[in-house]
Amino acid sequence: MNEIRMQTKLSPAQVEADVRRALEEDVGSGDLTASLVPAEQRATATIICREAAVICGQPWVDEVLRQVAPDAQANWLVQDGERCSPGSKIVEISGQARALLTAERLCLNFLQTLSAVATKTAQYVAAVAGTRAAILDTRKTIPGLRVAEKYAVRCGGGKNHRMGLYDAVLIKENHIAAAGGLTAAFRAAQALTQPVDFIQVEVETLGQLREALDAGVTMVLLDNMPLQTIREAVKMAGERCSLEISGGVGLQTLRELAETGVDRISVGALIKDIKAVDFSMRFADKPVERG
């Protein structure tokens, strides 16, 4: 039976590109305010997390420093995927004061966003603990930051659904309508010349599920089905296919949904409905001696 594949490696090239875009947006031709600080001045700064969170963003912070402050030294006190309590020191950084000032907001932006995704994912993962259901993300991501946000989902204990339109087939409502029916769309997917080991079909009714099973579909997405219908779908499918739930999933009903016996629950809110985690960078009161 097909399974959702989990991306395990983070591409340094992707992280570099994310940071390069962020620098172009924020720094542009130069940091005017940081230029007020003497060029030879050095400093030590600490990034602090102001609330309980699952930390995520180290590769992006390290890359910001590499591009902006290549001589800076970072000592990470909390690693990606680890929990911290309010007031925790996350990383201590020493280097050229101007460069650290320029890097400050970008480092915090990556940390506050990615840690928010990781923290929310961890809440959902904890809610289904002990069931067979895995928590997955969706493609509802900030344009240009999908790799980063899906990495954050993994740091929170979740799994990744497809990365994009290129690495899997997900036959949804509009595909079925445009292709002339569920079975026709599935047969077309099976006939693709490009090798595809991930073909999933979305269904909205038990009748569609029955058609999918008869067609030999092994991965089915139950879209916005009521709880009792999901229970009936699990009984109908048995071990003939894996079942995933999507649509309107929240923490209040998550446990009950997981206990129906589905294999996966995909949650758009892991990424698109987050509240940034509160981080701050504080420079040491006593400046480091100028070099």
Side-chain angles (χ1 to χ4, degrees):
M1 187 177 295
N2 301 80
E3 291 295 336
I4 295 292
R5 293 158 297 165
M6 181 174 173
Q7 182 181 334
T8 57
K9 290 186 178 181
L10 184 65
S11 166
Q14 181 65 55
V15 176
E16 188 274 335
D18 290 344
V19 171
R20 186 176 64 251
R21 289 195 311 274
L23 284 171
E24 290 171 355
E25 176 182 71
D26 195 41
V27 181
S29 60
D31 183 345
L32 295 177
T33 314
S35 68
L36 305 178
V37 177
E40 67 274 17
Q41 184 70 55
R42 298 185 66 79
T44 297
T46 302
I47 293 180
I48 299 167
C49 186
R50 299 298 185 184
E51 56 189 295
V54 175
I55 296 303
C56 182
Q58 180 176 344
W60 287 266
V61 172
D62 286 343
E63 181 61 22
V64 170
L65 296 176
R66 188 190 72 80
Q67 293 190 36
V68 176
D71 71 335
Q73 299 294 318
N75 176 31
W76 284 90
L77 306 174
V78 182
Q79 302 299 314
D80 277 3
E82 293 181 351
R83 295 178 179 272
C84 73
S85 55
S88 296
K89 295 179 179 180
I90 305 304
V91 58
E92 296 172 341
I93 310 168
S94 60
Q96 185 192 50
R98 277 188 182 181
L100 296 188
L101 289 166
T102 299
E104 176 182 357
R105 177 41 56 193
L106 290 184
C107 290
L108 298 180
N109 282 353
F110 280 116
L111 281 171
Q112 71 183 24
T113 300
L114 300 184
S115 295
V117 173
T119 301
K120 188 156 195 174
T121 301
Q123 294 173 344
Y124 276 73
V125 170
V128 302
T131 71
R132 66 186 294 173
I135 298 296
L136 278 71
D137 54 27
T138 71
R139 288 168 49 239
K140 297 175 183 177
T141 57
I142 296 175
L145 282 181
R146 179 169 297 172
V147 169
E149 291 176 321
K150 282 180 172 280
Y151 168 82
V153 167
R154 298 198 301 276
C155 285
K159 294 186 177 182
N160 297 149
H161 207 285
R162 57 180 177 162
M163 187 59 65
L165 298 175
Y166 56 87
D167 64 341
V169 173
L170 174 49
I171 302 170
K172 298 173 71 69
E173 174 186 12
N174 287 335
H175 299 101
I176 292 171
L182 186 154
T183 301
F186 180 61
R187 294 287 178 251
Q190 291 179 306
L192 288 172
T193 55
Q194 175 183 337
V196 178
D197 60 2
F198 180 117
I199 301 175
Q200 188 175 40
V201 177
E202 178 185 273
V203 303
E204 297 177 312
T205 67
L206 293 178
Q208 285 186 321
L209 174 59
R210 187 174 296 106
E211 181 181 354
L213 293 172
D214 291 343
V217 176
T218 59
M219 298 180 71
V220 173
L221 180 64
L222 307 177
D223 183 47
N224 280 296
M225 281 189 178
L227 183 63
Q228 184 54 40
T229 307
I230 292 173
R231 293 192 180 107
E232 293 175 30
V234 171
K235 292 179 181 179
M236 181 185 296
E239 297 300 322
R240 296 170 64 185
C241 74
S242 63
L243 292 178
E244 178 180 332
I245 295 172
S246 73
V249 177
L251 276 174
Q252 296 80 4
T253 58
L254 185 61
R255 182 73 190 187
E256 200 170 22
L257 291 171
E259 288 176 344
T260 62
V262 296
D263 301 284
R264 296 179 293 271
I265 303 175
S266 52
V267 186
L270 298 183
I271 294 173
K272 74 181 183 70
D273 186 18
I274 58 170
K275 176 182 176 295
V277 174
D278 186 10
F279 288 90
S280 64
M281 179 185 283
R282 290 289 178 263
F283 278 59
D285 292 335
K286 184 178 180 180
V288 177
E289 293 297 325
R290 298 181 185 181

